[in-house]
């Protein structure tokens, strides 16, 4: 009798643990639950892909006096192989312009997006280095600065680190993975609302002395001055945000999908910076609207796939003394092959 009682004491925790494991397993499976009338699940365990990635960055500074300067580096193209197993995807891309060496070791870029049926995650880390070019200049109504563009300018450095998490409401019938990770196929056109949260940290360093010297050198005189809003050493700004958006998958032909999704971002932003005159008023608390756009087109017959996708972020800060606008993102062109058919899809 005593032995039986002890056995029950031992068995109860084991049964409870087994039940908890089943519950966790059920929750995990829920993240990939789909309506197979709308979405065809992945039939293969592995994939191999070759991808070309283009990254771009446009940065505009604007003063209350009407002056504005737009900077952007040359578009960077990278090519590399990728290999995937189920949800895990690894690869590396090479900068074709600088194979074997780096023209600016401070330049670092990492963009990572994870797409499941219910939840998507974006992470981006960028340090632009100092390879910007002046693309557009407006220093006054009667000042022609068109000849200054494009001019290499190493006095600007921008950094951005951010992450966002968003939930897809109609995840059973609308598939983000079909458009951006090629792990499913959308069979019937469908859309979904989505909502998310995020956090971003930015840094901006500007050598306004070099910028003024570039203007003076081009003009051949020193009477064209930058507004005080352009004259700062550095500024750092942070934002916490919430977003809401809508995405749509259009199946315009068999195995062919076109996706477009847009999200409006309401961001609370806090900034600190140093100005040339030392006045401690270059700090502001702010609420602004930003935006995120995703676009993709893909052909996927479950064995072979080819397509292109792009993600674009737009951030802005607007206060009476200082305004910035930044647009950055990446575009991917890819082709791949799936292999290693899952057991349940093998012919018996």
């Amino acid at each position: 009798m005593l032995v039986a009682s002890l056995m029950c004491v031992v068995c109860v925790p084991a049964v409870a643990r087994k039940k908890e494991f089943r519950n966790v397993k059920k929750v995990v499976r829920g993240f990939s639950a789909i309506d197979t009338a709308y979405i065809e699940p992945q039939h293969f365990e592995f994939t191999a892909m070759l991808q070309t990635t283009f990254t771009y960055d446009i940065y505009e500074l604007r003063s209350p006096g009407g002056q504005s300067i737009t900077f952007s580096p040359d578009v960077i193209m990278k090519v590399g192989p990728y290999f995937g197993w189920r949800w895990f995807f690894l690869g590396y891309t090479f900068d074709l312009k600088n194979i074997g060496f780096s023209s600016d070791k401070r330049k670092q870029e990492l963009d990572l997006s994870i797409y499941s049926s219910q939840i998507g995650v974006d992470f981006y880390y960028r340090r632009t280095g100092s390879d910007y070019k002046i693309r557009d200049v407006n220093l006054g109504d009667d000042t022609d600065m068109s000849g200054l563009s494009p001019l290499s300018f190493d006095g600007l450095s921008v950094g951005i680190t951010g992450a966002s998490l968003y939930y897809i409401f109609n995840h059973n019938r609308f598939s983000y993975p079909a458009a951006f990770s090629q792990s499913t196929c959308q069979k019937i056109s469908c859309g979904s609302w989505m909502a998310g949260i995020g956090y971003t940290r930015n840094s901006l360093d500007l050598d306004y002395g070099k910028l003024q010297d570039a203007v003076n050198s081009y003009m051949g005189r020193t009477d064209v001055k930058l507004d005080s809003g352009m004259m700062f050493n550095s500024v750092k700004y942070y934002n916490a945000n919430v977003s809401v958006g809508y995405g749509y998958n259009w199946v315009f032909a068999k195995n062919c999908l076109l996706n477009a999704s847009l999200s409006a971002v309401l961001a609370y932003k806090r900034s600190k910076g140093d100005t040339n005159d030392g006045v401690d008023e270059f700090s502001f608390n702010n609420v602004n609207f930003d935006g995120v756009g995703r676009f993709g087109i893909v052909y996927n017959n479950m064995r072979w796939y080819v397509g292109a996708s792009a993600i674009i972020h737009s951030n802005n800060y607007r206060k009476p003394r200082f305004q910035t606008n930044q647009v950055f993102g990446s575009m991917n062109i890819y082709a791949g092959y799936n292999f290693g058919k899952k057991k349940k899809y093998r012919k018996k």
Side-chain angles (χ1 to χ4, degrees), residues 42 45-49 82-85 89 305 336-339:
Q42 176 63 276
E45 298 277 6
F46 306 98
T47 185
M49 182 179 76
Y82 283 78
F83 178 80
W85 173 67
F89 218 77
Y305 57 89
Y337 177 75
N338 294 316
F339 59 98

Side-chain angles (χ1 to χ4, degrees), residues 75-86:
V75 175
I76 298 173
M77 183 177 74
K78 297 181 179 181
V79 177
Y82 283 78
F83 178 80
W85 173 67
R86 295 188 178 182

Side-chain angles (χ1 to χ4, degrees), residues 68-314:
S68 65
I69 303 177
T70 302
F71 305 88
S72 70
D74 291 332
V75 175
I76 298 173
M77 183 177 74
K78 297 181 179 181
V79 177
Y82 283 78
F83 178 80
W85 173 67
R86 295 188 178 182
W87 281 13
F88 300 96
F89 218 77
L90 297 174
Y92 187 79
T93 55
F94 303 88
D95 184 351
L96 296 182
K97 188 177 179 180
N98 299 296
I99 292 179
F101 64 91
S102 175
S103 59
D104 189 342
K105 292 184 179 180
R106 292 176 295 174
K107 192 177 188 69
Q108 302 175 22
E109 295 181 4
L110 173 64
D111 293 274
L112 174 66
S113 295
I114 301 173
Y115 303 100
S116 71
S117 296
Q118 289 190 33
I119 292 176
V121 178
D122 289 330
F123 175 78
Y124 41 89
Y125 175 90
R126 292 189 173 211
R127 297 297 181 268
T128 61
S130 55
D131 60 348
Y132 275 92
K133 291 183 178 180
I134 298 175
R135 301 294 182 177
D136 185 68
V137 182
N138 179 12
L139 298 182
D141 295 336
D142 58 350
T143 305
D144 181 13
M145 303 295 295
S146 58
L148 193 60
S149 172
L151 175 69
S152 295
F153 180 69
D154 63 357
L156 175 68
S157 181
V158 178
I160 181 169
T161 303
S164 60
L165 172 71
Y166 51 92
Y167 180 81
I168 301 165
F169 290 96
N170 191 19
H171 53 84
N172 289 329
R173 296 182 174 182
F174 169 83
S175 176
Y176 245 171
F180 296 103
S181 62
Q182 305 84 47
S183 57
T184 61
C185 286
Q186 186 85 42
K187 296 193 289 187
I188 301 175
S189 299
C190 190
S192 176
W193 288 97
M194 58 196 73
I197 57 174
Y199 177 81
T200 303
R201 182 179 65 190
N202 299 64
S203 64
L204 171 64
D205 296 292
L206 176 67
D207 189 330
Y208 59 83
K210 283 187 176 181
L211 185 58
Q212 184 68 69
D213 289 343
V215 172
N216 293 344
S217 177
Y218 171 74
M219 296 297 294
R221 63 182 201 266
T222 61
D223 60 326
V224 179
K225 298 295 184 180
L226 296 174
D227 286 346
S228 60
M230 297 281 190
M231 302 176 69
F232 60 88
N233 296 312
S234 66
V235 60
K236 294 182 180 180
Y237 36 97
Y238 316 83
N239 79 64
N241 60 70
V242 294
S243 64
V244 61
Y246 187 82
Y248 191 79
N249 281 343
W250 176 35
V251 181
F252 60 92
K254 184 178 180 180
N255 301 323
C256 295
L257 173 66
L258 177 65
N259 170 276
S261 64
L262 296 172
S263 294
V265 182
L266 180 65
Y268 173 78
K269 306 181 180 184
R270 183 171 180 265
S271 175
K272 293 183 179 180
D274 301 320
T275 60
N276 182 44
D277 55 15
V279 178
D280 188 22
E281 60 180 278
F282 195 73
S283 298
F284 53 84
N285 295 328
N286 203 359
V287 175
N288 287 121
F289 281 101
D290 297 328
V292 180
R294 295 179 177 85
F295 308 92
I297 184 169
V298 60
Y299 169 81
N300 186 354
N301 65 8
M302 298 307 294
R303 175 68 76 173
W304 294 93
Y305 57 89
V306 60
S309 63
I311 180 170
I312 302 170
H313 299 265
S314 175

